[in-house]
Amino acid sequence: MNVKTVSVVVPCFNEEANVPLLHARVSAVFAALPYTLELVLVNDGSRDGTEAAITALAHTDARVVGVMLSRNFGHQAATTAGLDQATGDAVVLIDADLQDPPEVIAEMLKVWEQGFDVVYGMRVGETFMKKTTAKLSYRMLRAMTSIEIPLDTGDFRLMTRPVVEAVKRMPEHARFLRGMVSWVGFKQTGVLYERASRAHGETKYPYRKMIKFAWDAITSFSTLPLKVATWVGFGVALLSVAVMAWSVVARLLQLPGLLPGWTSQFVAMLFLGGVQLFFLGMIGEYVGRIFDEVKGRPLYVVKQVTRTAL
Ligand code: UDP
Ligand code: MG
């Protein structure tokens, strides 16, 4: 019987202490499983000893593929670089910091064998703030887009080869992988797992980056903000027609106290100006995104791939 290969793809940014730990944990999981492991470690332009740690592993363990990016391209791009290198029949995405326990992979593989194409990890237990912010942005995203993005999931998931190939054909720069994987379709399901705290180092997702990520997710999957501009514009136009009618009538009827009148004009002017600037900015966001995509630059640049032929 043909032994199936499973690629485990790991984006690593300043994770020197976690890389050997992760390798040990993943190896232990696969030691008990009837699959061939391919561990794709992507160094996303780390400034610590991550590159050395990955190179050392790639030289001693033929199952390890080291992918060195030329600089820091960000989590989503690094993950994409790993997906592009992975050759397995199934690919598992996992973070380097061991917050997603590698032992869950065994469970995901079982579900895969039951005929599912995507098995995502659903988190129970995480810091309150992170969970609330994540929940809020997912709920918002769900309300604003037509695709079903499972709640409380990260990028920790298993995908079969056809799913990986479909995702690889999506060239967008503003990447939101978990949304893209949902968009692809196929048979998807989740397994519950407890999210641990980081083994070593600190998070690379401060709130500033999380907000940017949520905004990327919304604007790359939804044009609702643009539609809001139209609706609000329509509402404001209706309102101003009403005010115009009222002022004409008031003038004709010679209602008292009309002469000052500049307050209402001033307020209306400021209000209209504000609304216009706001929506101009919103449209600008989308134009900026179009600009980004239209340049057609690669998502990442690979400096070197260390792969020992199996
Ligand atoms: N990461 C990366 N490039 C970056 C930021 C993060 O490859 O620019 C990796 C990081 O090494 C980790 C994963 O993405 O393996 C998730 O990052 P982190 O654990 O900091 O995020 P959190 O779990 O706090 O959301
Ligand atoms: Mg983490």
Side-chain angles (χ1 to χ4, degrees):
M1 198 190 85
N2 242 350
V3 179
K4 289 177 188 162
T5 304
V6 176
S7 305
V8 175
V9 169
V10 196
C12 308
F13 179 53
N14 297 344
E15 307 277 10
E16 59 179 349
N18 291 325
V19 165
L21 284 180
L22 179 93
H23 174 255
R25 288 269 293 276
V26 172
S27 295
V29 169
F30 276 86
L33 293 173
Y35 300 99
T36 307
L37 166 69
E38 176 187 59
L39 184 59
V40 182
L41 301 172
V42 183
N43 173 29
D44 187 16
S46 300
R47 287 179 270 276
D48 65 353
T50 302
E51 177 162 349
I54 293 176
T55 309
L57 283 178
H59 283 155
T60 51
D61 186 342
R63 301 172 302 174
V64 173
V65 179
V67 183
M68 311 301 167
L69 302 189
S70 60
R71 65 168 169 85
N72 180 253
F73 282 90
H75 181 195
Q76 301 285 306
T79 308
T80 307
L83 278 183
D84 290 344
Q85 290 293 332
T87 61
D89 301 296
V91 177
V92 177
L93 302 181
I94 192 169
D95 285 354
D97 56 7
L98 294 167
Q99 278 192 285
D100 311 320
E103 292 70 29
V104 178
I105 296 174
E107 228 173 296
M108 291 178 164
L109 291 168
K110 265 191 220 146
V111 180
W112 170 40
E113 294 294 357
Q114 288 163 16
F116 286 92
D117 297 287
V118 175
V119 189
Y120 44 83
M122 289 160 69
R123 303 165 177 175
V124 279
E126 211 181 354
T127 67
F128 179 74
M129 262 318 274
K130 188 125 194 177
K131 221 175 160 173
T132 330
T133 43
K135 257 208 172 117
L136 261 178
S137 47
Y138 281 169
R139 294 257 140 77
M140 213 157 83
L141 195 64
R142 264 201 166 178
M144 292 173 78
T145 64
S146 49
I147 47 156
E148 280 284 304
I149 296 171
L151 294 174
D152 308 326
T153 64
D155 283 330
F156 184 31
R157 61 186 60 223
L158 176 146
M159 298 178 264
T160 53
R161 181 49 51 190
V163 174
V164 174
E165 290 306 320
V167 169
K168 276 163 69 173
R169 285 175 47 207
M170 299 168 84
E172 58 232 63
H173 278 236
R175 286 182 102 66
F176 181 57
L177 275 169
R178 51 202 95 152
M180 291 160 61
V181 173
S182 286
W183 182 91
V184 161
F186 291 95
K187 236 175 126 184
Q188 311 208 354
T189 189
V191 293
L192 288 174
Y193 74 102
E194 189 103 22
R195 204 158 199 238
S197 50
R198 231 174 197 284
H200 287 284
E202 52 191 40
T203 177
K204 280 91 197 176
Y205 271 100
Y207 289 115
R208 183 179 49 82
K209 263 202 193 167
M210 275 170 65
I211 291 168
K212 186 186 171 290
F213 190 52
W215 182 240
D216 260 0
I218 289 169
T219 46
S220 57
F221 273 95
S222 165
T223 47
L224 190 73
L226 288 175
K227 289 183 194 130
V228 169
T230 317
W231 296 334
V232 173
F234 186 65
V236 170
L238 271 187
L239 202 74
S240 44
V241 168
V243 172
M244 252 155 45
W246 176 81
S247 56
V248 170
V249 171
R251 188 81 189 84
L252 290 177
L253 296 181
Q254 306 246 310
L255 291 186
L258 262 188
L259 197 69
W262 64 270
T263 320
S264 52
Q265 276 196 19
F266 214 61
V267 168
M269 205 179 78
L270 288 180
F271 178 66
L272 283 175
V275 168
Q276 281 173 1
L277 278 184
F278 177 75
F279 288 112
L280 208 60
M282 180 143 283
I283 292 165
E285 280 282 341
Y286 281 90
V287 174
R289 245 142 247 268
I290 294 169
F291 178 58
D292 257 359
E293 302 291 347
V294 122
K295 278 187 287 191
R297 292 196 181 155
L299 293 166
Y300 57 84
V301 177
V302 175
K303 190 168 71 175
Q304 196 197 338
V305 179
T306 318
R307 188 195 282 274
T308 320
L310 284 176

